[in-house]
Amino acid sequence: MEKRVMTNSKRRRRLVAASALLGGVLVLSACSGGGDKAGASDGSDSTSQAKVDEAAAKKTSEALIKITPKDGSDNASINNGTAVTVTKGSLTSVTMKTASGTAVAGQISADKKTWKPLNRLERATTYKVAAEAADSEGRTAHENASFTTVSPANSFIGNFTPEDGSTVGVGMPVSINFDKAITDKAAVQKGITVSSSSGQEVVGHWFSANRLDFRPESYWTGGSTVTLKLDLDGVQGASGVYGVQQKTVTFKIGRNQVSIVDAKTKTMQVTQDGKVVKTIPISAGAPENTTYQGQMVISEKFKETRMDGSTVGFKDEKGKGEYDIKDVPHAMRLSNSGTFIHGNYWGAKSIFGSVNTSHGCVGLSDTKGANDAGTPAAWFFSHSLIGDVVVVKNTGDKTIAPDNGLNGWNLNWAAWKAGSAA
């Protein structure tokens, strides 16, 4: 066996290699946390961080503030959609301003848990809300949000009749005309309720994408109260178009007055609660311009108004109206197309009750100026309400279209209910 002799240089190289190997073992041990010294160091860092976290937690409020609508929202409601609430604390301050800096009045609730604006917001407006609350230890929390309300282009409104607080006749429907075409009629109708203190069933009927009327099967009960509730805030009526109304309207039904115009006998019988209280001679449409037949509702009243034939198709060869009377007295509208029951001072007194001479209206004897309370027209005007019914018969003309004015009573109940989207 050969005997090898180790030189000094070889011995030094092996010591270096061994040292490197031992060093590597020590490094690996330190990374795994196995060394006593390394473990002491980690425990010290962990304790330190825990103390920092604990101190931070003690300084942080437990109060949790929520702002509705959420930050960045658009198409936000202008009615009931805005609120600031807090849990595990009490609100101490809430400010709301428009982007231009105009302050919005609001109120914190008695329990200091909720804040709401006092008035309806404006459409197409950006609002900024800043809220502060404190928890039971007095530590404060803050929250901010900015949102934009729905624009006119992305919202719809229903213009309704009759007016809140009014007293109307038994034939007055609730008629709502929307400023945008409604494609989701079911959703919109679901957001509208009409009820009567009489307990009558009330059903809605869509005449078009813009018009929805409500009525019972027969005329409203005299003396009853009708309530209309519009709960349309946030309801999507069409793609990207939302309702903004949150409103309750009530109106009274007056005495039951229904007047029957008979073009054959040329008289009108005025009935109240089923009893004839007055018979008035009339002059209806001439044979060449007959008056519509059917149940018509008085929708407007004018002590005096202008009637220009050109506006309803009665023109001469030059395109001017066949008549243009600037002071027609005691006029009450029965249709959108121009049918009125009104006073007539220009015709001979002998025509009333004797001959039909008008262009389609129902005329009653009157005097110029509408100041003579003793004329038949003045009496009928003063004893009539918007919503009273005038039934016209024996004219030889067709029945008026149900959507020509407030005349849906000319649809039977089955046909009326068929037009409901509910």
Side-chain angles (χ1 to χ4, degrees), residues 120-141:
R120 191 174 71 174
L121 305 182
E122 297 296 326
R123 287 192 284 179
T125 302
T126 298
Y127 291 93
K128 297 182 178 181
V129 182
E132 178 183 286
D135 64 10
S136 59
E137 300 296 324
R139 295 168 297 193
T140 59

Side-chain angles (χ1 to χ4, degrees), residues 353-376:
S354 300
V355 60
N356 294 320
T357 61
S358 81
H359 283 78
C361 291
V362 176
L364 314 178
S365 180
D366 209 341
T367 56
K368 187 177 177 64
N371 291 317
D372 185 351
T375 67

Side-chain angles (χ1 to χ4, degrees), residues 265-280:
T265 63
K266 302 167 188 66
T267 59
M268 176 173 68
Q269 288 188 328
V270 182
T271 69
Q272 290 185 356
D273 299 319
K275 297 179 180 180
V276 177
V277 296
K278 196 172 185 67
T279 299
I280 300 174

Side-chain angles (χ1 to χ4, degrees), residues 231-244:
D231 190 12
L232 296 173
D233 191 40
V235 174
Q236 183 165 301
S239 179
V241 180
Y242 301 86
V244 295

Side-chain angles (χ1 to χ4, degrees), residues 161-163 166 168-175 214-216 219-220 226 251-253 297-299 386-389 406 409:
T161 190
E163 296 180 0
S166 59
V168 297
V170 296
M172 188 70 187
V174 172
S175 185
F214 289 83
R215 71 165 175 89
Y219 303 142
W220 301 103
V226 179
F251 58 92
K252 298 283 187 181
I253 304 299
V297 174
I298 296 173
S299 58
I386 288 176
D388 279 348
V389 180
L406 303 177
W409 301 103

